[in-house]
Amino acid sequence: MPQPLAVDPTLADFYQLIWWMVLLKVGIVFAFLLVTTILMIWFERRVIGRMQNRPGPNRAGPFGLLQPVADALKLPLKEDIIPTTVDKLVFIVAPVIAGGMAFIAFAIIPWGPEVSIFHHQTPLQVADLPVAVLLVLATSSVGVYGIVLAGWSSRGPYSILGALRSTAQVISYEIAMGLSFVAVFLDAGSLSTTGIVNAQAHYWYGWVLAPSFIIYLVTMVGETNRIPFDLPEGEGEIVAGHMTEYSSMKFAMFFLAEYINMTTVSALAATLFLGGWRAPWPLTIIGPAVNSGWWPVLWFLIKVFVLLFCYVWLRGTLPRTRYDQLMALGWKILIPFSIIWLLLVATVRALRADNRSPVVYVVAAVVLILFVLLISFWDIGYQKYLARIAPDEAVVAEDEDEWDYDAEGELVRVEKPAIEPRFPVPPLDLPHYHGLEDGVAAGAVRGDASDATKEVTGAGS
């Protein structure tokens, strides 16, 4: 007997759920997030290893598949150290807040249509609300309290700096993220994730609202503190930031929260902009059967893991940005552009509604003027940046001629380059970089410089 086609779920489908069905779906989501975290740890190390022309983990199990399992067993067995100067209660509660909020946010993500589970029709989603998307913003905001409290309770300079950086970063990028959501709300006419997925039955918002999608992709990297925006835990500057004083399972909770947040924001991107659990275009030619039963779960997982691969791709490709660049991107580019794009979307919707009110045309003209001013502002800022990094012509004119001795001991003029490097580095071919200077000196005392070179550099051995 052929399986009947699934009906798109609505908010009413969540009002009469059986209690054991809710617990079952909560357990499935919990297990999925844990398994995804374990898989992502292995996948990230293997992919970056391939990018850097090295094997990655390959000793524990076939292809290193048991390496994340070994790491998960290692963390609880490490000594749980609590420094004597910390605020112990807040120090213990902070990782619990960060990890708990990460799990809660995934509850409103739909990963399939209505299906039959033990002869009960139920949507593949833990819960839905009329303002479900705002729950993700709320949980991410509360999750930052875990980072802030961890830095404050540690009472160390590196931890406090990491907490302050995280606070400023989340405030900056959460504003742009929220503005990217509003365009979706206007087009879908709903803040419910179920309603947004249903509104993408004919086209995805990733194409129609491409600027909002691009802004969200940037902000989701900033929200999860991942490279190139991992300033709150920059090991080259502040050791590990808010996690500096943590060890054992408390450290594992922060680590777990980071990877679960990556999965959540990737799933939210698939829900809001990539059609949710709906099949991509070539498969829809087959018919509505591809969006029925359990097949949509497969399409949803493919979208999520493609976005997670982009996280790994960024980590293996881009360096960490400076903090002023991070803040400038959020406040000077993403937020102004999001506001003007949002006004443009609202104006287009008003014009499509055939509203002949002159107010609509006045607003449209204002939006165009603001867009031109924004482009001019960016151009002026870029010109100032070029002027700032350009060499001072007066200084170059004074020191136009430089002199140095050549190999024969004669004084010759050395021409300076037109533009000096912004951050000059010493030449790496000097003798002391290869250990020759000390070796030659030691060899000169013994009367044998070649032996000293062999001892220092290992040449001839």
Side-chain angles (χ1 to χ4, degrees):
M1 180 177 180
Q3 185 178 4
L5 298 181
V7 181
D8 291 340
T10 61
L11 279 173
D13 297 323
F14 294 90
Y15 294 157
Q16 297 179 347
L17 291 179
I18 308 173
W19 64 270
W20 59 263
M21 184 69 70
V22 176
L23 293 179
L24 176 62
K25 289 192 284 188
V26 168
I28 292 174
V29 169
F30 183 79
F32 167 73
L33 293 176
L34 289 180
V35 172
T36 303
T37 299
I38 294 174
L39 178 63
M40 274 302 299
I41 294 173
W42 172 84
F43 178 75
E44 184 173 21
R45 296 175 66 181
R46 290 287 295 188
V47 171
I48 293 179
R50 182 59 61 91
M51 289 180 176
Q52 298 173 350
N53 197 23
R54 56 184 178 83
N58 61 349
R59 299 300 180 89
F63 304 104
L65 285 170
L66 297 180
Q67 185 63 51
V69 178
D71 293 338
L73 294 175
K74 175 186 67 177
L75 283 172
L77 299 178
K78 283 181 172 290
E79 183 180 0
D80 189 5
I81 300 174
I82 300 179
T84 56
T85 58
V86 303
D87 188 327
K88 292 186 178 180
L89 178 61
V90 180
F91 188 82
I92 295 173
V93 170
V96 177
I97 295 176
M101 292 299 105
F103 279 103
I104 294 174
F106 203 88
I108 53 93
I109 301 295
W111 23 284
E114 273 197 15
V115 297
S116 176
I117 300 179
F118 300 119
H119 305 291
H120 290 276
Q121 290 294 124
T122 180
L124 291 177
Q125 184 177 353
V126 175
D128 199 4
L129 302 168
V131 290
V133 180
L134 299 184
L135 178 66
V136 178
L137 295 177
T139 53
S140 65
S141 301
V142 176
V144 177
Y145 277 94
I147 298 176
V148 174
L149 293 177
W152 179 82
S153 63
S154 297
R155 297 180 180 176
Y158 297 137
S159 302
I160 294 176
L161 281 175
L164 293 176
R165 282 184 174 188
S166 180
T167 305
Q169 182 171 329
V170 169
I171 291 174
S172 303
Y173 282 79
E174 199 163 85
I175 295 174
M177 178 181 284
L179 292 173
S180 68
F181 291 163
V182 177
V184 176
F185 301 156
L186 288 175
D187 199 287
S190 174
L191 277 71
S192 163
T193 52
T194 300
I196 292 173
V197 173
N198 294 340
Q200 299 180 75
H202 302 291
Y203 55 85
W204 292 357
Y205 290 146
W207 304 108
V208 181
L209 304 174
S212 295
F213 183 40
I214 294 173
I215 292 171
Y216 177 79
L217 291 178
V218 177
T219 56
M220 78 179 193
V221 179
E223 280 285 299
T224 51
N225 298 333
R226 294 281 298 182
I227 286 179
F229 302 145
D230 64 333
L231 277 302
E233 51 184 271
E235 67 273 5
E237 306 167 12
I238 50 177
V239 187
H242 58 282
M243 300 184 292
T244 301
E245 305 297 339
Y246 282 89
S247 61
S248 190
M249 282 303 296
K250 297 182 182 64
F251 175 82
M253 287 296 293
F254 283 115
F255 198 70
L256 183 65
E258 178 179 319
Y259 279 86
I260 292 177
N261 286 330
M262 289 168 52
T263 307
T264 301
V265 296
S266 298
L268 189 62
T271 301
L272 298 183
F273 298 101
L274 300 180
W277 43 262
R278 298 186 180 277
W281 167 73
L283 295 175
T284 55
I285 301 176
I286 300 175
V290 295
N291 288 324
S292 300
W294 293 91
W295 284 109
V297 179
L298 177 61
W299 317 139
F300 176 75
L301 292 178
I302 291 175
K303 297 173 186 178
V304 171
F305 281 101
V306 167
L307 292 171
L308 289 174
F309 168 75
C310 293
Y311 268 111
V312 180
W313 193 2
L314 289 177
R315 179 173 180 178
T317 306
L318 298 180
R320 182 181 297 114
T321 61
R322 296 201 315 266
Y323 200 74
D324 60 327
Q325 295 173 340
L326 175 70
M327 292 291 104
L329 177 63
W331 289 100
K332 294 183 179 181
I333 297 180
L334 295 181
I335 293 178
F337 184 80
S338 298
I339 294 174
I340 295 177
W341 166 250
L342 181 58
L343 292 175
L344 181 62
V345 171
T347 303
V348 171
R349 284 191 58 82
L351 292 174
R352 288 171 56 186
D354 196 22
N355 190 343
R356 300 184 181 277
S357 173
V359 177
V360 177
Y361 297 98
V362 172
V363 172
V366 171
V367 170
L368 292 177
I369 294 173
L370 289 176
F371 184 75
V372 172
L373 291 176
L374 180 63
I375 298 299
S376 302
F377 170 77
W378 287 345
D379 182 66
I380 293 173
Y382 183 67
Q383 295 299 329
K384 290 182 178 179
Y385 169 75
L386 293 179
R388 187 169 65 251
I389 66 174
D392 191 348
E393 296 181 0
V395 176
V396 173
E398 291 178 2
D399 302 334
E400 190 173 14
D401 295 336
E402 286 192 359
W403 300 83
D404 198 359
Y405 292 95
D406 61 5
E408 299 177 357
E410 296 182 0
L411 191 63
V412 296
R413 189 178 68 176
V414 179
E415 294 184 0
K416 294 183 61 177
I419 299 178
E420 295 182 350
R422 181 70 172 166
F423 300 102
V425 296
L428 301 182
D429 57 347
L430 294 180
H432 64 271
Y433 277 96
H434 306 284
L436 298 178
E437 186 175 348
D438 295 338
V440 171
V445 174
R446 298 192 305 266
D448 188 359
S450 60
D451 293 341
T453 302
K454 293 180 181 179
E455 290 182 11
V456 175
T457 63
S461 59

